[in-house]
Structures are given as C-alpha cells and as structure tokens.
Amino acid sequence: MRYLTAGESHGPQLTAIIEGLPAGLPLLAEDINNDLARRQKGYGRGRRMQIEKDTVNIVGGVRHGYTLGSPVALTVENNDWKHWTNIMGQGPLNEAEAEEIKRKITNPRPGHADLNGALKYGHRDMRNVLERSSARETTVRVAAGAVAKKLLSQLGIDIASHVLEIGGVRAETPQYETLTELKERTEASSVRVFDKNVEKEMMNAIDEAKKNGDSIGGIVEVIVEGMPVGVGSYVHYDRKLDAKLAAAIVSINAFKGVEFGIGFEAARKPGSEVHDEIDWSKEKGYFRKTNRLGGLEGGMTTGMPIIVRGVMKPIPTLYKPLQSIDIDSKEPFLASIERSDSCAVPAAAVVAESVVAWELANALVEQFYGDRMDVLKASVEAQREYSKEF
Ligand code: EPS
C-alpha cells in the first residue's frame, strides 16, 4: 500500500489518497473522526485548534460502508481557510489584492524548514515553505493511520500510544493489565500520561514554557499487541520492519530519534541483560520471557508487543525570539512571532500511533495478501496457527 497527502496549512483542505487497501474492509467516517479529535486535544496547543474541528469526508473507494479495493480518498477541510482566501488563493491576484497582502515572509525561523526549503525551491516568500512544512499535514496522516488501525483491528491487532516525558518531567513506566486500561487512563489525561503523579508537573512545565515565550518537547511511546510472528524480513535492508518504523517515526514533524524496547539503555548493559530468553507453551507457542527488544528481532516481529518510542524536539516557532537573517536585507533580526503551540507532545503521540499503524498494516498486506479482507484474515490466522505448531 502507499498513500500521498496534499494541502497547505491555511489552504482549503487536506487530502490523502490511499492505494492498495484490500476490498471488504468495513470503514465509516466515524472510525476516522475519533482519531482526528484525539489529535486535536492536549494541553499546550495554541489558538488554531479552537478554530478547527477536524472531520473527514470519504470521497472515493468506499461504498455502503466497505472499501472497494479502489483508491480511498479522504479530505479534511481547514476552517481557517476562510480567513486566508486571498493570501492562500489559487488564482492570480489583482492589483488591489496584491497590494493588500504584499508582505512576504523573508525571516526564517531557526529550526524550521523555512530557510532550507526556500533555498531548495527558490521561494523568496517563505510562506510557500511553511504552509506545507506545518504539522497541520499530520491531520491526514492520522486519517490514513485510522484506516490502517481499522484494518489491524480486523486482524485482532490492538495499538495504543501515550506520553512518557514532557519538558524533562519523566513518567514512571506504566504498569497495566490490558491495552484498554492504558488507553482509557491516558485518554482521560490532558497530557496523555498514565502516571497521575506527574500530570500536574507536566502541565506546569508547559505553562512555564508558555509564560517564557518558549516551547518544550518530550517522548511518546506506541505499543502494539497481537502482531503475528515473522512480519518484515532479515534478508534485505529495505524489508526490515524496525527500519520502516524508525523512518515513519522520524518523518513526523519535529521528531528527532527512535528507540525500540529498552532502546539506548542497551548500550549500557551486557548482552545477557538485553536479549530475551525464548520459551514455548502449547497455548502460546514460542514466546519471550521478557520483551526488552520491543517485539522486533532481525528486522521481524517476534509476536511480543511492539514497543517504539519517539523523541520530539520543542517546536521551533517561538514567541521568544532567536537570531536569524532576513533573506532580503541580509540583516540579522530576532525571529518573528507566529501563532504556535507551546507543546504538541500529547497530540504527537496520536500521530506516532497513526504512522506505526500504517507501517504495520502495510507490512501485513504486503506479506500476506492485499486484494480481499477475508483472504488476508485467513492468511494471517493460518500464519498464527503455523507458528504455534512449528
Ligand atoms: C504549526 C503552527 C500552528 C499549529 C499547527 C502547526 O498553526 P497556525 O500557523 O495556523 O497557527 O496550530 O498545527 C496545526 C494546525 C494542526 O492541525 O496540528 C506549524 O507551524 O507547524
């Protein structure tokens, strides 16, 4: 499968086209809208989220509640567009309009795509860069991820995400019985954290950053249960599932690093404390006694829960200015104030969950069968039985 997205942050809409989804997957707008609403929440978001109320239009590939096997097209309108019809209009401007909006953006924000993007595409008005590099685009990545999650749920695979760290405030590793418990507790938290003891502290850190005109980042974790064994491959670099997941996480705006299982801690421990011992039982088949490697060995799933973490840097759009250079005057200036979020880590957890869901759904469809949901289901089930009895 693959998908493309299009659309600018303050343009009329965002679009995703998904190609290669099996026919016969039940799919309703509400399956997607729930995740769009989750992405909009989170303490630390700016004013834009009060303007938007993201809902999806399914405009291709679905009939009477089921996918057809044809491309699935999804759109989400930008409510803010009505305030930007001149600045972001598609047609040429008349003289009066051009005069009204003549201010170009010539002052790149440190840490954003502005300057590199302007140099790459030759844009003297850096609005042409920032409109697309904006994290607004993650709206339709979450929409595509929600479709992937629906496919995973049909195969008995469950996924959750939560926040582990914000602005240096670290939560305890969550102790939960079921993913449902983890989901219910973290969804009820305004910073999407399981550990109640640090919730207020995280919110205070966000308030403090906001007060100082600054921004803060953090760490999010995605957990997936129910993947069959052997998804991905060891035979070639571009078929390793952990490599694909790592690329997906780092492709999220402002994400700078990835860990699986105990992650970077593995550098400080001997092999005997890193690798997971193998066991077998009649009910479960092969399993690991621990899950330090986060469900992935040799580029393939082990059947244990997949545990992936991503590091998000603080958002580079700051009220507190950093030095930059105006590309017209070449004079130093203190970077401009744009409307921004002081912390988007809770929302980014939902984005991380979505991109992980996409990679896993894609790997399953590629490996087991891609045309029909019933055949895909039977094929995944057969693999589960096979690996139990192997
Ligand atoms: C963003 C800047 C803000 C954020 C935006 C990402 O938008 P605006 O420029 O309209 O104030 O709210 O995030 C979203 C719109 C979203 O849907 O997540 C940026 O510069 O990346």
Side-chain angles (χ1 to χ4, degrees), residues 9-10 39 45-46 48-49 52 54 80 84 109 112 130 133-136 138-139 253 317 338-341:
S9 178
H10 303 98
R39 194 200 69 95
R45 295 285 256 158
R48 176 76 187 271
M49 285 305 99
E52 303 299 340
D54 295 333
D80 212 9
W84 293 76
R109 291 161 295 173
H112 224 285
L130 69 90
S133 64
S134 163
R136 178 73 187 144
T138 62
T139 309
N253 310 50
T317 309
E338 284 264 341
R339 183 175 62 181
S340 182
D341 306 318

Side-chain angles (χ1 to χ4, degrees), residues 283-324:
E283 312 75 64
K284 294 201 260 183
Y286 298 96
F287 63 93
R288 306 295 185 277
K289 288 174 154 181
T290 50
N291 189 26
R292 296 156 179 156
L293 292 181
L296 292 151
E297 292 171 0
M300 296 164 293
T301 52
T302 63
M304 298 295 285
I306 294 181
I307 299 174
V308 196
R309 282 186 293 284
V311 177
M312 186 185 196
K313 70 175 177 177
I315 286 173
T317 309
L318 303 176
Y319 290 90
K320 178 189 201 165
L322 293 179
Q323 194 209 285
S324 183

Side-chain angles (χ1 to χ4, degrees), residues 20 34 73 112 123 151 154 166 181-182 264 314 318 326 333 369:
N34 182 40
H112 224 285
H123 292 310
L151 184 145
Q154 297 287 302
I166 285 181
E181 183 193 341
L182 176 80
F264 279 34
L318 303 176
D326 187 288
F333 75 99
Y369 187 76

